[in-house]
Amino acid sequence: RAENYGSQIQHSSIHRDNYKAKNLNHTIMEFVTLENCDFSEACATGSIFRHCKFIDCNIDQTDFEFCEFYDCEFLAKQPINCSFNNSGFYNTIFTNIKFLCCTFTGCVFHKCYWDRGNIVNSTLEGAIFRQCTFHKNPSAKFFTNYAEGYLYYN
């Protein structure tokens, strides 16, 4: 399925769209709000997201490997289970997020803000957290049953 491969989406508000199992590789989204969208089993490898909001989206078994997230925001009621290997998160806000059984191998989190969330039973090998803020959940309680090997700089 290549109907969305390499797409560019800007200045949009998208509600309840179905991206389930779609090929979103190398997509560029800028200033996009995605609310209640289904990204389950989608593949978005190598995509770039700038100033995007993911609000209560289904992000189950999604492939976000080698992606870049700049000034984005994630808000969710249900756990997120996917792969973010080798992705970068810069000035990204995570609110009420529970990452469950995710892979973050080689990820960089720079100046990210975490509000009421955690990472559980996930792989963090080689992940780097630089100048991140953990509000209402200190970093010591943030990482639960993780694979060792991440670096945390504050």
Side-chain angles (χ1 to χ4, degrees):
R1 290 183 166 165
E3 64 270 14
N4 294 89
Y5 180 91
S7 296
Q8 189 165 358
I9 303 169
Q10 295 179 323
H11 303 283
S12 299
S13 186
I14 301 169
H15 301 277
R16 301 186 193 280
D17 270 13
N18 184 2
Y19 298 102
K20 183 176 178 132
K22 291 207 174 164
N23 181 348
L24 302 170
N25 290 339
H26 305 287
T27 296
I28 298 173
M29 289 191 186
E30 297 177 304
F31 299 96
V32 176
T33 298
L34 300 141
E35 190 168 357
N36 294 306
C37 294
D38 185 359
F39 286 94
S40 61
E41 301 173 16
C43 187
T45 300
S47 294
I48 299 171
F49 302 90
R50 290 186 188 101
H51 302 280
C52 293
K53 291 183 181 183
F54 297 84
I55 302 170
D56 295 327
C57 293
N58 181 0
I59 304 176
D60 185 48
Q61 301 296 318
T62 307
D63 180 354
F64 280 117
E65 294 184 355
F66 298 96
C67 289
E68 300 292 327
F69 298 87
Y70 300 96
D71 301 294
C72 291
E73 193 169 347
F74 288 82
L75 298 97
K77 295 176 186 168
Q78 61 186 3
I80 293 175
N81 173 1
C82 67
S83 176
F84 289 101
N85 290 336
N86 300 298
S87 291
F89 299 86
Y90 308 94
N91 298 309
T92 296
I93 299 170
F94 301 95
T95 304
N96 200 37
I97 298 293
K98 180 177 184 176
F99 289 109
L100 179 63
C101 301
C102 293
T103 56
F104 294 99
T105 302
C107 285
V108 173
F109 296 87
H110 184 73
K111 293 186 178 179
C112 293
Y113 182 84
W114 302 81
D115 185 10
R116 296 178 313 255
N118 59 2
I119 296 177
V120 179
N121 295 328
S122 296
T123 302
L124 293 163
E125 293 178 65
I128 298 172
F129 293 79
R130 282 197 176 110
Q131 298 176 355
C132 293
T133 302
F134 300 91
H135 181 71
K136 295 188 181 177
N137 198 359
S139 60
K141 294 181 181 178
F142 179 77
F143 305 105
T144 309
N145 298 327
Y146 56 87
E148 300 217 11
Y150 73 92
L151 298 173
Y152 173 69
Y153 302 101
N154 205 2

